């Protein structure tokens, strides 16, 4: 089943119930590739994604947009060729990046983001979003806000888990991933799979908004550590 991807700006008040916002351990490394203009690896538990950003660069005339940059996202699976699942994730990442980037500052140019899956142990789309944001920051591209990805899973009993493992995703009846912006904690994009109620959706959005604070703090700490080494 292909996940449903929806790009929007929606704000939902937090529910009175507070599911756990436990996240697996994070890790990242920036500027680790020499050829891209920006690069980063991001690790969440045993899920790992490597991202490289190329551009702004010259764009083919057929793809040229006169008032903004053309954004392209390519996801390479760990093994084999990209399939339907990768195309769906590419759309989600691309639309999130387009919403965050100030692409009008680079008209008639191209931006290409390449994501290589190193290992998938759950929350792959969220990890891809986080790797993408870190790589865009490393490239120094102008952005109206940062973003992060948070995945929630709902088990058959209705319990909500954040940042699930692959095993937890397989046992769940619904999996949702949200892209959250750093400015107002709004939902920029959602990808949902499975069956859930409106109330469960609202709870997952609320818990993702709370969990995003931990990820944005990790971004700040990572950048601070990187530049403090240069001083």
């Amino acid at each position: 089943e292909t996940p449903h991807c929806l790009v929007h700006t929606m704000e939902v008040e937090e529910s009175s119930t507070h599911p756990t916002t436990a996240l697996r351990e994070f890790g990242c490394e920036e500027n680790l590739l020499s050829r891209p203009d920006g690069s980063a690896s991001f690790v969440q538990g045993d899920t790992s994604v490597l991202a490289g950003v190329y551009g702004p660069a010259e764009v083919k005339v057929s793809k040229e947009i006169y008032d903004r940059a053309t954004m392209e996202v390519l996801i390479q699976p760990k093994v084999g060729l990209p399939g339907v699942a990768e195309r769906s994730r590419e759309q989600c990442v691309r639309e999130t990046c387009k919403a965050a980037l100030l692409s009008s500052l680079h008209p008639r140019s191209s931006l290409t983001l390449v994501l290589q899956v190193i290992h998938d142990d759950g929350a792959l789309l969220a990890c891809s979003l986080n790797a993408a944001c870190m790589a865009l920051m490393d490239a120094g591209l102008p952005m109206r806000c940062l973003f992060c990805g948070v995945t929630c899973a709902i088990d058959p009993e209705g319990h909500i888990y954040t940042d699930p493992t692959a095993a937890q995703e397989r046992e769940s009846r619904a999996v949702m991933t949200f892209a959250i912006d750093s400015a107002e904690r709004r939902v920029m994009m959602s990808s949902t799979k499975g069956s859930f109620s409106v109330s469960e959706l609202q709870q997952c959005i609320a818990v993702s908004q709370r969990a995003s604070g931990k990820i944005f703090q990790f971004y700040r700490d990572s950048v601070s550590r990187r530049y403090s080494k240069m001083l």
Side-chain angles (χ1 to χ4, degrees):
E1 183 186 355
T2 303
H4 170 67
C5 180
L6 175 66
V7 178
H8 56 155
T9 55
M10 181 170 65
E11 218 166 33
V12 177
E13 294 184 2
E14 292 191 6
S15 169
S16 58
T17 59
H18 295 289
T20 176
T21 56
L23 301 171
R24 292 175 292 177
E25 187 175 348
F26 298 130
C28 79
E29 184 178 355
E30 291 180 277
N31 197 30
L32 70 168
L33 300 176
S34 59
R35 293 187 64 183
D37 296 290
S39 60
S41 66
F42 202 91
V43 178
Q44 293 179 218
D46 289 330
T47 300
S48 177
V49 175
L50 178 63
V53 177
Y54 300 82
E58 188 177 349
V59 64
K60 293 181 180 179
V61 176
S62 60
K63 295 184 177 181
E64 184 180 274
I65 304 176
Y66 79 95
D67 63 344
R68 63 184 184 276
T70 302
M71 184 78 203
E72 187 175 11
V73 176
L74 303 171
I75 295 181
Q76 302 293 334
K78 184 177 180 180
V79 293
L81 298 173
V84 175
E86 284 74 27
R87 295 290 175 260
S88 176
R89 282 194 289 271
E90 285 173 0
Q91 180 189 1
C92 293
V93 175
R94 180 174 60 252
E95 296 304 322
T96 302
C97 291
K98 285 169 65 176
L101 286 166
L102 295 169
S103 57
S104 60
L105 298 179
H106 299 286
R108 294 187 172 92
S109 62
S110 73
L111 296 170
T112 303
L113 170 66
V114 181
L115 296 164
Q116 173 66 56
V117 177
I118 306 300
H119 190 68
D120 178 13
D121 186 37
L124 180 59
L125 176 55
C127 188
S128 299
L129 288 165
N130 296 334
C133 188
M134 295 293 281
L136 293 173
M137 283 194 287
D138 186 57
L141 292 170
M143 302 169 71
R144 56 177 53 89
C145 64
L146 302 181
F147 59 87
C148 72
V150 182
T151 296
C152 293
I154 305 175
D155 69 13
E157 287 74 42
H159 299 122
I160 296 174
Y161 299 93
T162 51
D163 198 19
T165 63
Q168 287 174 321
E169 286 186 356
R170 285 193 297 270
E171 295 167 0
S172 65
R173 61 172 165 85
V175 177
M176 311 176 198
T177 298
F178 305 98
I180 310 292
D181 81 68
S182 60
E184 299 181 32
R185 298 293 197 271
R186 291 191 177 185
V187 178
M188 302 171 68
M189 181 281 302
S190 67
S191 173
T192 61
K193 181 180 179 180
S195 60
F196 50 88
S197 66
V198 173
S199 174
E200 288 172 332
L201 173 62
Q202 292 176 333
Q203 287 186 62
C204 287
I205 291 174
V207 76
S208 297
Q209 289 169 325
R210 291 199 301 274
S212 69
K214 299 179 182 179
I215 302 174
F216 290 130
Q217 185 60 51
F218 177 77
Y219 286 178
R220 286 190 286 270
D221 293 343
S222 299
V223 173
S224 297
R225 282 196 301 269
R226 178 186 173 190
Y227 286 105
S228 64
K229 294 177 183 177
M230 297 181 178
L231 297 178

